[in-house]
Amino acid sequence: MTKTRYAREPGNPATIAKARGSNLRVHFKNTRETAMALKKMKLKVAIKYLENVIGKKDAIPFRRFLGGVGHHAQSKKYKTVATRWPKKSCEYLISLLKNAQSNAEAKKLDIDRLFISHIQVNRAPKLRRRTYRAHGRINPYMTSPCHVELILQEKKKSIRKARETKKAGEGKVKKVSKKSANKERLAAKST
C-alpha cells in the first residue's frame, strides 16, 4: 500500500492527528456542506453538533450546493435560508472524528484542546448502475461517493507576558502622545 498524501501538511506533526476515508458511499454534496459547517470547530463541540443534526435539534447550512434545498426556520441561526439534516453524512463524519480522536489519544494529545484545522471533501469516481425506462430504454443510475480527510490540531496555550519589576526610586512610566510631546518640547525651547 502506498503512503497517502494530505492536501495540507501542518507545521508541527507532534501536535496533530489525522484521519481520512476513501470512496465513502455517501453523497458528495451533502458531505461537503456538512464538513464546511465543522471547519475550525473544537472536536467535542463538532461531535455534539453532528449528533444534534441527526436528532434534528440543529441543522447544516447549505451555501454552495443548495439547488432544491428547502427553507427552514433553523437556518436563521446561520444567516442563510437553506438547511438540511444529512443523517448519513453526519454519521460518516462522526466516525472519522472519533478515529482522529483515537489517533490523538495514541499520540498523547490533550483531547479538550483539539480543533478541526483542516477538513476537505473531494469527489470519488462514480459507481455505475442502470435503471430501466419506458420503451425499452436504459439510463445510468450513478452514485456520487467522496473522499474525506481531516486534521485535528492542538490549540496553543496562551502565555501571558511576565510583569516587569520596578526598581526602587523609579516612578510610574507615563505614556505621552506625539502631539503633547511636541508641545512640551516647544514650551521648553521658548523658555
Side-chain angles (χ1 to χ4, degrees):
M1 189 170 152
T2 61
K3 184 179 176 184
T4 55
R5 288 184 56 219
Y6 282 72
R8 178 174 297 158
E9 288 298 329
N12 187 1
T15 61
I16 62 155
K18 299 177 182 179
R20 73 183 296 146
S22 297
N23 297 309
L24 302 177
R25 289 288 296 265
V26 60
H27 291 292
F28 162 74
K29 291 181 179 182
N30 291 347
T31 310
R32 186 260 175 203
E33 296 292 350
T34 309
M36 292 305 106
L38 297 179
K39 235 177 205 177
K40 305 295 179 197
M41 264 192 201
K42 286 188 170 183
L43 174 65
K44 290 190 175 181
V45 174
I47 291 172
K48 183 71 178 157
Y49 172 61
L50 291 175
E51 287 168 352
N52 285 343
V53 170
I54 291 170
K56 294 200 174 182
K57 296 175 192 146
D58 216 335
I60 300 290
F62 276 59
R63 293 193 166 94
R64 180 177 293 175
F65 300 111
L66 45 81
V69 178
H71 297 191
H72 301 286
Q74 285 184 352
S75 59
K76 290 177 192 170
K77 183 178 176 181
Y78 306 104
K79 294 183 172 65
T80 182
V81 291
T83 52
R84 274 191 175 167
W85 302 271
K87 184 181 174 189
K88 195 172 177 184
S89 296
C90 291
E91 288 168 351
Y92 272 87
L93 286 174
I94 285 173
S95 68
L96 271 175
L97 286 171
K98 287 185 175 174
N99 181 268
Q101 180 180 349
S102 64
N103 293 344
E105 287 169 358
K107 282 184 155 185
K108 296 186 176 31
L109 298 177
D110 185 10
I111 303 300
D112 296 326
R113 289 186 23 229
L114 289 176
F115 73 100
I116 301 167
S117 66
H118 168 72
I119 187 164
Q120 180 175 312
V121 182
N122 295 330
R123 289 181 195 268
K126 290 191 172 188
L127 298 174
R128 181 174 287 276
R129 289 182 291 169
R130 59 171 65 177
T131 185
Y132 299 94
R133 308 307 296 265
H135 310 296
R137 292 176 299 127
I138 294 173
N139 279 4
Y141 203 69
M142 314 280 269
T143 61
S144 299
C146 60
H147 307 305
V148 182
E149 64 180 44
L150 61 95
I151 297 174
L152 301 178
Q153 194 167 6
E154 219 173 24
K155 238 187 191 133
K156 294 175 184 169
K157 288 183 181 176
S158 58
I159 301 169
R160 290 190 176 176
K161 193 174 181 180
R163 292 183 182 172
E164 293 179 14
T165 56
K166 299 263 183 201
K167 292 181 183 175
E170 282 187 14
K172 192 174 182 181
V173 178
K174 184 181 172 188
K175 287 197 171 187
V176 181
S177 68
K178 284 183 179 179
K179 189 175 183 180
S180 58
N182 284 339
K183 280 182 182 177
E184 288 175 12
R185 189 172 45 84
L186 288 172
K189 277 185 179 178
S190 63
T191 56

